[in-house]
Amino acid sequence: PATREEVYAVYYDELRRKIEDRGTTNFPEAGGRKLYGDLTMVITVNHTGAVIDTEVVQSSGTPVLDRRAEAIVRSLSFSRFNEAMRRRADQIVVVSRFRFTRDATLQTQLSAQ
């Protein structure tokens, strides 16, 4: 498991950084008011770096925030898998905890499923 994690560690960091940057730049709002909250999402990325699925598995309690979080992820594309990753998988499934904070930033915490 530790070796497997090393293969994906850099990739997970890229995912996290891109999601946080996009979420902070395009911080969710509704009716001119910022939306705050926490949610957990499962993200599936294929070997080309395309997001092929998102699913909110623990809602923030605000449906519009949940939808905006999914839109943030779906608007991104990531790097192609490197050779070591490609040998192991055609796609990865990542569980991500999203925290839209009062200082208008998105913080994420990723883990492999």
Side-chain angles (χ1 to χ4, degrees), residues 16 22 34 61 68-69 73-74 80-82 85 111-112:
R16 182 190 56 76
R22 180 67 54 93
K34 293 189 183 309
R68 298 274 167 81
V73 174
R74 288 183 177 276
R80 297 180 74 82
F81 288 8
N82 64 34
M85 288 174 65
S111 60

Side-chain angles (χ1 to χ4, degrees), residues 12 15-16 19-20 38-43 55-58 69 73 93-99 106-113:
Y12 288 154
L15 281 153
R16 182 190 56 76
I19 292 168
E20 287 180 352
D38 296 2
L39 61 103
T40 302
M41 185 187 313
V42 176
I43 305 163
E55 179 186 1
V56 174
V57 293
Q58 183 177 345
V73 174
V93 177
V94 179
V95 178
S96 183
R97 176 89 172 155
F98 284 58
R99 176 167 284 132
L106 170 57
Q107 298 171 352
T108 58
Q109 185 175 13
L110 304 179
S111 60
Q113 186 172 8

Side-chain angles (χ1 to χ4, degrees), residues 57-70:
V57 293
Q58 183 177 345
S59 174
S60 65
T62 307
V64 69
L65 179 58
D66 296 348
R67 287 192 303 274
R68 298 274 167 81
E70 285 189 288

Side-chain angles (χ1 to χ4, degrees), residues 11 45-52 77-81 86 90:
Y11 199 84
V45 178
N46 74 8
H47 65 93
T48 67
V51 176
I52 57 174
S77 61
F78 303 98
S79 300
R80 297 180 74 82
F81 288 8
R86 190 71 174 101
D90 289 328

